[in-house]
Amino acid sequence: MKDKLIIFDTTMRDGEQSPGASMTRDEKIRIGRALERLRVDVIEAGFPAASPGDFESVQAVAKVIKDSTVCGLARALDKDIDRAGEALKGASRARIHTFIATSPIHMQMKLQMTPEQVIEYAVRAVKRARQYTDDVEFSPEDAGRSEEDFLCRILEAVIDAGARTLNIPDTVGYSIPQQFGATIANLIQRIPNSDKAIFSVHCHNDLGLAVANSLAAVMNGARQIECTINGLGERAGNASLEEVVMAVRTRQDVFACDTGIDTREILTCSKLVSSITGFPVQPNKAIVGANAFAHEAGIHQDGVLKSRETYEIMRAEDVGWSANRMVLGKHSGRNAFKSRMTELGLVFDSEEELNDVFLRFKQLADKKHDIFDEDLQALVSEASFEAEDEFIKLIALKVCSETGEVPVAKVTLRIDNQEVTGEATGGGAVDASLKAIENLVQSKSSLELYSVNSITTGTDSQGEVTVRLEKAGRIVNGMGADTDIVIASAKAYVNAVNKLQTGDLRQHPQKGNV
C-alpha cells in the first residue's frame, strides 16, 4: 500500500496575494467547488482576520464544501484564532492553520521577541485552536532560514500542544532541493514525537525551485504539499499543484506515495482560476499550457504517430484536455444549458442569475457557432463582474479605424445611474477606446498591463482581455471577454476602474506570509 500524499491547496489564500488577484466571495465559492471536484484534500479559503471580506469568503466556502477540509489561516494571536474558528463553524471538516516566524532575522527584526517567547506564543495558539477543531496545523514562518535546533524545539512543543500537521515553509524561496530534503529528513528523525504529526511543505518559487523543493521533501518523508493552481502566488508564486500531482503520478517508480486527485479536472480548474484572477497561463506552462502536448518537430511528430510514448510521458486526456469539446450551440435549450453548467460546477443561486447567463449564452451563440466549456466559464465570470460592479457600466462603443486615418472612439457609460458620452482619438482602436473611457471616469490610474488571450480556437473565438491598473500603490486586475477584442478591452478597463472606485474590501490590510 502506497502512502497518501495530502494535497493542500492555497490558491484562495496565498494565490490571492498576487497583486491584482483578489477574488470575491462568489468567485471563491466557484473555485472551491472546482477544487472539491478535483478532490483536493484541504482547501485554504483565506485569512479570516485579514478583513471582513476575507472572513465572509471563508465562511461562505465552509458552508458549501462537503468533501474537502476547509482551512483558515491565523497568526499566533488569540483574536486571529477566534476569528478563524468563527468563520469555520459551518464546515463539514475544518482546519485552523496558525503560524509564527522562527528565523533569527524575523524574530529579532519583525517580532522583536526572544525564541522562548515565540515558542510560548506558538503553543498557546495551537491549544486555543484545538478549542475549535482537532485538526490544527502549525507553520514556523521562514523555516528555510531558521536554525534547525530551534525548529526541533518549537515543533516538538506544538505537537505536544495538539498540532497534527507541521508545515515547513520556504517562505522566501531560498532553499535548494537537496538541502531542503535533508532538512525535512533531519526534522523527522530528530524530533522525538514526530510520528504523531504529518510533515508538510509550502515552497515559494523565487528561484524557480518550488516544485523541485516540494518533491525533494516528499522523497524525505513529507506527506502533505501546499500548492496552488497554476503556481499562483505572491512574488514568483508557489509550487504548482498540477506539476506536483502529475510528477508524483507519472513517476510512481520513484515515489512511495500518491494523491487522490482526479487529474481529469486539472485543466478545468486551471482555466477557471486564470479567468477569475486575470492571470493568463503561458503557452509553455507544464501540464496546462497550450503547447504542453504540442509537437512541432517532424521527428517528434513521426514518433508520436507511431507510438505516443516516444515523446509523451503522460496522456493529454488524463489532465482534462479531451474535455475541451464543443457541447452547446445556438439551438441548445435552457435545460441542456443548465445541465452542462451543473456538470462544470457552475451553480446559480437563483433563477434570475440562470436566466441572465442563459441570455448571454444565446447572444454569444449568435456570434459564434461553436460554444466551448471555456466560453461558458467566461460568461459566468462576466456576469459576476457586472453584478458586483454596477457603479460604472459600458452601454455603447463605436470605433472608427481605417488605413491612414487617426482612430476615433465614441463611448457611452452609465455612471452612478446617469448616462454620459465622450470620445477620444488614439494610436489604435483599443487605445482610443480606453482613452475615451478614462476621459469620462477620471480614475487617474496608470495602465500597468494589457494582455489578450484567445479563450478557444478559431477566428470567431472570444478574446479575453486583462488590464492591470495602479493607483496610489493599489493594484487591481480587470477582465473582459467578447468576440470583438475592442469591446472586450473596454469591458476589462471598466471592470478594473469599478474595482478602484468601490474601495474593494478584498484588498487586505494584513496578509499571511507563510
Side-chain angles (χ1 to χ4, degrees):
M1 288 281 296
K2 293 235 176 189
D3 288 348
K4 170 71 179 293
L5 178 61
I6 298 167
I7 296 298
F8 178 112
D9 181 271
T10 185
T11 302
M12 291 190 282
R13 199 277 299 170
D14 199 321
E16 193 187 25
Q17 292 176 211
S18 298
S22 292
M23 308 165 198
T24 68
R25 181 192 63 183
D26 290 342
E27 287 167 348
K28 283 195 172 185
I29 289 174
R30 286 176 59 197
I31 292 175
R33 283 174 168 151
L35 294 173
E36 189 174 34
R37 290 196 309 278
L38 186 61
R39 296 181 187 169
V40 163
D41 300 289
V42 185
I43 300 172
E44 189 167 52
F47 186 1
S51 73
D54 236 26
F55 176 87
E56 291 168 8
S57 295
V58 174
Q59 190 176 54
V61 172
K63 288 179 180 178
V64 301
I65 298 301
K66 303 302 178 187
D67 297 330
S68 303
T69 297
V70 179
C71 177
L73 184 71
R75 292 167 298 183
L77 300 173
D78 290 353
K79 62 179 182 178
D80 278 30
I81 301 291
D82 294 343
R83 196 69 169 149
E86 187 179 351
L88 293 166
K89 274 183 182 177
S92 295
R93 289 192 292 275
R95 173 181 293 188
I96 293 178
H97 177 192
T98 186
F99 71 97
I100 193 169
T102 55
S103 65
I105 188 170
H106 275 234
M107 289 190 289
Q108 294 167 14
M109 306 304 296
K110 186 179 77 172
L111 299 179
Q112 296 182 339
M113 293 168 61
T114 66
E116 287 70 27
Q117 288 174 316
V118 169
I119 293 176
E120 180 185 345
Y121 268 69
V123 168
R124 187 173 68 191
V126 169
K127 288 181 177 179
R128 194 173 187 92
R130 283 292 299 256
Q131 296 176 12
Y132 295 98
T133 176
D134 291 336
D135 191 350
V136 177
E137 176 173 336
F138 173 78
S139 288
E141 183 187 356
D142 202 22
R145 296 188 295 177
S146 298
E147 296 172 351
E148 192 173 291
D149 287 348
F150 182 64
L151 283 178
C152 289
R153 285 177 58 201
I154 193 168
L155 294 176
E156 180 182 358
V158 295
I159 293 174
D160 284 340
R164 290 297 169 259
T165 301
L166 303 180
N167 179 55
I168 312 303
D170 183 21
T171 304
V172 294
Y174 183 69
S175 297
I176 302 298
Q178 184 176 2
Q179 165 252 318
F180 193 62
T183 296
I184 299 302
N186 289 342
L187 292 175
I188 293 174
Q189 183 178 16
R190 293 183 58 189
I191 298 171
N193 51 2
S194 64
D195 60 317
K196 295 180 181 178
I198 292 171
F199 278 74
S200 168
V201 289
H202 177 122
C203 298
H204 280 268
N205 206 39
D206 297 74
L207 294 175
L209 295 171
V211 170
N213 282 331
S214 298
L215 296 176
V218 172
M219 296 286 287
N220 285 276
R223 286 299 178 264
Q224 175 178 288
I225 292 180
E226 302 197 359
C227 45
T228 61
I229 299 296
N230 300 334
L232 192 68
E234 62 181 336
R235 302 190 313 278
N238 291 274
S240 164
L241 181 148
E242 56 275 8
E243 294 176 22
V244 163
V245 168
M246 292 312 296
V248 172
R249 183 68 51 87
T250 303
R251 296 305 308 270
Q252 282 291 283
D253 58 321
V254 173
F255 291 97
C257 56
D258 197 6
T259 73
I261 294 294
D262 182 353
T263 61
R264 295 167 298 180
E265 295 290 334
I266 284 177
L267 188 65
T268 298
C269 253
S270 169
K271 290 182 178 296
L272 175 63
V273 170
S274 177
S275 172
I276 286 176
T277 61
F279 281 62
V281 175
Q282 73 264 27
N284 64 331
K285 169 75 167 65
I287 316 299
V288 294
N291 293 345
F293 295 92
H295 300 278
E296 177 71 19
I299 293 174
H300 287 208
Q301 292 171 342
D302 180 65
V304 169
L305 287 172
K306 291 175 179 176
S307 176
R308 179 188 61 81
E309 289 80 4
T310 54
Y311 287 102
E312 287 189 2
I313 60 173
M314 53 194 154
R315 299 194 318 155
E317 296 86 348
D318 290 341
V319 296
W321 281 103
S322 62
N324 296 327
R325 60 189 184 279
M326 190 277 292
V327 294
L328 296 172
K330 67 184 297 182
H331 298 296
S332 298
R334 188 174 180 277
N335 286 338
F337 172 80
K338 182 178 180 180
S339 175
R340 186 57 191 154
M341 288 300 216
T342 301
E343 290 174 13
L344 292 173
L346 301 172
V347 182
F348 301 96
D349 294 330
S350 67
E351 286 297 307
E352 288 77 14
E353 289 184 19
L354 172 61
N355 292 337
D356 176 44
V357 179
F358 182 62
L359 177 61
R360 294 170 187 266
F361 159 71
K362 284 294 189 179
Q363 292 170 343
L364 178 62
D366 284 334
K367 298 179 182 179
K368 66 189 301 262
H369 184 266
D370 296 341
I371 307 296
F372 294 80
D373 290 347
E374 295 93 332
D375 291 313
L376 301 179
Q377 296 275 14
L379 287 176
V380 174
S381 293
E382 184 178 56
S384 67
F385 288 148
E386 291 187 9
E388 293 158 12
D389 305 320
E390 285 293 328
F391 185 81
I392 303 170
K393 184 176 178 63
L394 178 66
I395 302 299
L397 176 64
K398 180 181 179 181
V399 183
C400 181
S401 181
E402 59 181 296
T403 305
E405 299 293 333
V406 177
V408 179
K410 182 177 181 180
V411 64
T412 300
L413 303 176
R414 187 177 69 217
I415 302 178
D416 200 15
N417 294 320
Q418 289 187 343
E419 287 195 7
V420 291
T421 300
E423 63 179 51
T425 59
V430 171
D431 184 40
S433 299
L434 301 193
K435 284 179 177 176
I437 294 171
E438 178 61 25
N439 287 342
L440 293 175
V441 299
Q442 292 291 303
S443 72
K444 294 182 174 58
S445 60
S446 61
L447 180 63
E448 301 292 314
L449 172 73
Y450 175 84
S451 172
V452 182
N453 289 279
S454 175
I455 291 179
T456 55
T457 57
T459 56
D460 65 345
S461 168
Q462 287 194 93
E464 187 175 65
V465 175
T466 301
V467 300
R468 181 175 299 163
L469 300 183
E470 188 274 335
K471 181 179 180 181
R474 185 171 175 219
I475 299 173
V476 297
N477 277 351
M479 193 276 283
D482 199 276
T483 52
D484 185 321
I485 202 66
V486 180
I487 294 175
S489 302
K491 288 180 177 179
Y493 196 85
V494 168
N495 178 230
V497 171
N498 267 310
K499 290 181 178 179
L500 287 176
Q501 181 69 37
T502 54
D504 200 321
L505 284 173
R506 288 166 276 157
Q507 301 298 319
H508 307 305
Q510 296 282 356
K511 281 297 183 184
N513 192 27
V514 177

